[in-house]
Amino acid sequence: MLQVTNIKKSFHEKEVIKGIDLTIQKGEVVVIIGPSGSGKSTILRMMNALEYPTSGDILLEGESVLYKNVNGKVKPRKEKELSKFRAEIGMVFQGFHLFAHKTVLENIIEGPVQIKKMSKEKAIEEAEVLLEKVGLADKRHQYPHSLSGGQQQRIAIARSLAMKPKLLLFDEPTSALDPELIGEVLKVMKELALEGMTMAVVTHEMGFAKEVGDRIIFIDQGVIVQDAPPQKFFHASNTNERISRFLQTLTRNVV
């Protein structure tokens, strides 16, 4: 589904991603974890063409997301072309990014109507189904400011799903939420995984990673330290010292 090939990224001459190769298969849930500043969110943003790598490429079903061949020369895609790929690679941010001046329903239909040129009637019909799916059908005419953080994040997920993406990216979707609201968002994500949605998730929720992830990718200092199924990653026999320290820190923070 998605292929990351030798991605590198520098900010102000400091290399933060140091050559990463990664593939995500159709229907797979890949959980990306690591310490703050390790490059997790940067990788996700490059997958969705919100950030260009210094070198390397991102392929969606074999086609470059970032570049095209023009008369034998490789050139960056224009914004209109990037928008086409972004419609197929949905992204859910930790800060929700809902339109404050639009109702819940208007937020969800905006993409299908404006980008996919779907009729408003059809978009509303599909949005109603998605609102049922995330358990917020009764909030359709409310504005984001009247919703809890967990409800806003579920609306953000519904808005991404309205575009019928091939792949969904989640950038720490629960990190801005109060602890009692995290479960309602993770529940929706678990249901999507069970339905076969292809997902890449940056998170510190290790319970979710163990239960839902097909693979755990641990990134530190811009490189992949380990790429393993959860049974192997979380098993006591995993002797990687850096990962052990990270997991111990998470456990202490929870306590």
Side-chain angles (χ1 to χ4, degrees):
M1 178 65 74
L2 192 81
Q3 187 175 356
V4 175
T5 60
N6 197 26
I7 283 290
K8 296 181 181 179
K9 178 67 178 179
S10 297
F11 292 106
H12 309 297
E13 298 185 5
K14 182 183 180 190
E15 194 173 44
V16 293
I17 304 295
K18 302 172 182 176
I20 281 182
D21 292 287
L22 169 65
T23 58
I24 301 174
Q25 304 297 334
K26 185 176 181 180
E28 193 173 34
V29 178
V30 173
V31 179
I32 302 171
I33 66 175
S36 296
S38 59
K40 308 181 300 294
S41 294
T42 300
I43 290 168
L44 225 57
R45 289 174 64 81
M46 287 191 287
M47 287 180 184
N48 199 33
L50 293 172
E51 197 88 60
Y52 256 81
T54 307
S55 63
D57 201 359
I58 308 286
L59 306 177
L60 179 67
E61 295 184 324
E63 185 178 5
S64 173
V65 172
L66 304 174
Y67 305 101
K68 64 179 179 180
N69 196 308
V70 181
N71 298 324
K73 293 183 179 179
V74 175
K75 295 190 174 182
R77 291 192 185 276
K78 293 181 179 174
E79 188 60 32
K80 189 175 180 181
E81 295 171 296
L82 292 176
S83 295
K84 183 194 85 167
F85 283 101
R86 289 189 193 120
E88 297 184 324
I89 306 174
M91 189 153 182
V92 178
F93 302 88
Q94 67 181 64
F96 320 138
H97 289 204
L98 299 174
F99 297 115
H101 63 291
K102 292 182 181 290
T103 65
V104 162
L105 192 63
E106 288 168 342
N107 264 280
I108 295 173
I109 69 172
E110 178 77 7
V113 171
Q114 297 299 325
I115 297 171
K116 293 208 161 185
K117 306 305 178 188
M118 187 183 291
S119 72
K120 189 173 180 181
E121 294 75 18
K122 176 69 172 169
I124 289 173
E125 182 184 323
E126 294 191 359
E128 298 276 7
V129 173
L130 289 171
L131 282 168
E132 289 282 354
K133 185 184 191 69
V134 299
L136 293 170
D138 59 329
K139 307 293 185 185
R140 57 173 66 80
H141 298 307
Q142 293 195 27
Y143 287 85
H145 69 83
S146 69
L147 305 177
S148 71
Q151 290 170 335
Q152 290 187 58
Q153 193 60 290
R154 284 186 279 159
I155 296 302
I157 293 171
R159 183 181 60 180
S160 287
L161 290 172
M163 297 297 287
K164 297 184 172 65
K166 294 175 178 176
L167 169 70
L168 259 185
L169 309 176
F170 292 85
D171 188 9
E172 302 203 29
T174 61
S175 66
L177 302 179
D178 291 333
E180 65 268 23
L181 302 177
I182 290 172
E184 62 190 50
V185 174
L186 294 180
K187 180 174 180 283
V188 171
M189 293 171 65
K190 288 175 187 176
E191 288 168 358
L192 290 174
L194 287 171
E195 291 167 8
M197 172 61 73
T198 310
M199 296 158 62
V201 184
V202 169
T203 186
H204 283 103
E205 297 294 332
M206 294 302 102
F208 175 87
K210 285 179 187 177
E211 184 182 347
V212 183
D214 294 302
R215 280 160 53 216
I216 311 295
I217 293 174
F218 185 85
I219 293 177
D220 189 25
Q221 297 182 13
V223 298
I224 293 177
V225 176
Q226 191 169 76
D227 179 347
Q231 314 90 274
K232 181 179 177 183
F233 185 87
F234 291 106
H235 198 274
S237 63
N238 189 345
T239 56
N240 186 289
E241 188 182 331
R242 181 67 191 93
I243 293 172
S244 296
R245 285 204 316 272
F246 175 76
L247 294 176
Q248 285 167 11
T249 301
L250 282 185
T251 305
R252 282 199 300 271
N253 288 345
V254 169
V255 174

